[in-house]
Amino acid sequence: MHRVYNFSAGPAVLPEEVLREAADEMLDYQGTGMSVMEMSHRSAAFDEIIKTAEQDLRDLMGIPDNYKVLFLQGGASQQFAAVPMNLMKNGVADYIVTGQWAKKAYQEAQKYGKAVKVASSEDETFSYIPDCSDLPIDDDADYVYICENNTIYGTKYKKLPNTKGKTLVADVSSCFLSEPVDVTKYGVIYGGVQKNVGPAGVVIAIIREDLIPEKPAVENTPTMLAWKTQADADSLYNTPPCYGIYICGKVFKWLKKMGGLEEMQ
Ligand SMILES: Cc1ncc(COP(=O)(O)O)c(C=O)c1O
């Protein structure tokens, strides 16, 4: 067998041990007589898979009880819309634009309210992270948005921005689980898993419960994009990306076995 050295940003390499385990369980997952791809998302076996995955992620990141962990679909790009749709109560949000993904999120948010670019590094081809210690944060900003690691440019925040008390929302798609994190500094942490955690098709969103609105801030938000829909249903409002969640769960176990996020760092 020939395995290449795969340095792709994503979809990216997965631990061989995880792939082998999944291969062993392909035809018969733990005596169920079927693959995880074939089983109901309402079955006891899958209930155990998703609950264990969530608990292992909580352990790895030290996620406090007042944060929901959602396993979603639509890629990280879908959250570019879901974030303003759920959070833009005052219709204002501040964006720090440090790369193409932050720029896309900023452009998407403009469709739903007043998205303000409070800092940018586009003047020098996104080659640096701007000084975020004293930004002109809007008094009525519903949140401050960052892309914490800029996949294309390789820049990463060493220090989180001073949001002046506003909720911090971070896209962590390409730095997810790569170092210890203080979840309490964020209102929302989300990322597509296909770079650091599992196969494409799963987005993990960690959202402080009080930020999940009864009704999304934007009228006519599709049911599927209202975080409350998935929060109330423990990510099982509709059929979730079951196999992807199962692989993520295996990667979480592998990360724990390796020594957790300190070791990853
Ligand atoms: C930081 C970051 N955000 C968002 C995305 C978009 O992710 P998706 O393809 O899951 O929509 C990417 C993809 O490379 C990314 O690197």
Side-chain angles (χ1 to χ4, degrees):
M1 186 187 56
H2 170 65
R3 296 267 302 160
V4 296
Y5 290 102
N6 178 0
F7 294 106
S8 174
V13 69
L14 285 167
E16 198 172 307
E17 196 178 311
V18 165
L19 296 175
R20 285 187 188 283
E21 245 181 63
D24 284 347
E25 292 173 345
M26 182 60 75
L27 295 182
D28 179 8
Y29 174 74
Q30 297 190 359
T32 55
M34 62 178 94
S35 156
V36 173
M37 273 184 239
E38 302 167 297
M39 73 178 48
S40 165
H41 57 297
R42 311 267 176 222
S43 63
F46 187 73
D47 187 57
E48 167 87 22
I49 288 171
I50 193 166
K51 290 214 170 99
T52 305
E54 175 176 339
Q55 190 54 55
D56 284 334
L57 181 65
R58 284 185 180 278
D59 296 346
L60 275 169
M61 294 178 72
I63 301 173
D65 288 346
N66 64 326
Y67 283 73
K68 277 274 182 195
V69 174
L70 304 182
F71 294 95
L72 306 171
Q73 305 194 45
S77 302
Q78 187 152 277
Q79 294 306 308
F80 297 171
V83 166
M85 285 177 147
N86 283 280
L87 293 183
M88 260 191 182
K89 280 199 307 278
N90 302 330
V92 184
D94 288 347
Y95 278 71
I96 304 175
V97 180
T98 52
Q100 293 302 344
W101 298 112
K103 189 174 173 180
K104 281 196 174 154
Y106 162 64
Q107 286 167 339
E108 188 69 19
Q110 283 171 333
K111 295 185 182 170
Y112 305 107
K114 187 175 151 214
V116 184
K117 196 194 294 177
V118 288
S120 167
S121 51
E122 195 163 10
D123 58 340
E124 288 184 31
T125 336
F126 297 126
S127 57
Y128 68 100
I129 300 287
D131 177 0
C132 297
S133 56
D134 187 18
L135 296 172
I137 304 293
D138 284 81
D139 284 343
D140 49 359
D142 290 305
Y143 59 91
V144 175
Y145 182 100
I146 61 168
C147 176
E148 193 162 336
N149 187 69
N150 297 283
T151 318
I152 301 170
Y153 305 96
T155 56
K156 183 177 184 303
Y157 287 79
K158 293 261 177 347
K159 194 165 174 258
L160 293 175
N162 175 4
T163 64
K164 304 188 174 168
K166 303 296 181 193
T167 297
L168 180 64
V169 176
D171 170 1
V172 299
S173 294
S174 56
C175 55
F176 207 23
L177 304 181
S178 64
E179 61 184 357
V181 52
D182 180 354
V183 174
T184 63
K185 295 210 163 109
Y186 304 78
V188 180
I189 301 177
Y190 78 89
V193 304
Q194 68 270 22
K195 299 173 195 307
N196 291 5
V197 190
V202 183
V203 176
I204 295 175
I206 300 155
I207 309 171
R208 213 176 62 221
E209 274 172 2
D210 60 287
L211 296 172
I212 299 175
E214 271 308 306
K215 264 181 65 194
V218 170
E219 222 178 301
N220 296 324
T221 292
T223 307
M224 283 290 291
L225 294 194
W227 288 333
K228 176 124 175 87
T229 304
Q230 294 292 2
D232 283 355
D234 292 328
S235 305
L236 294 172
Y237 170 73
N238 68 330
T239 318
C242 299
Y243 198 79
I245 293 167
Y246 156 76
I247 298 288
C248 290
K250 288 199 178 297
V251 173
F252 299 151
K253 287 246 180 275
W254 179 83
L255 287 170
K256 282 174 98 173
K257 200 169 85 180
M258 294 290 288
L261 303 190
E262 277 87 8
E263 190 65 22
M264 283 302 116
Q265 184 176 40

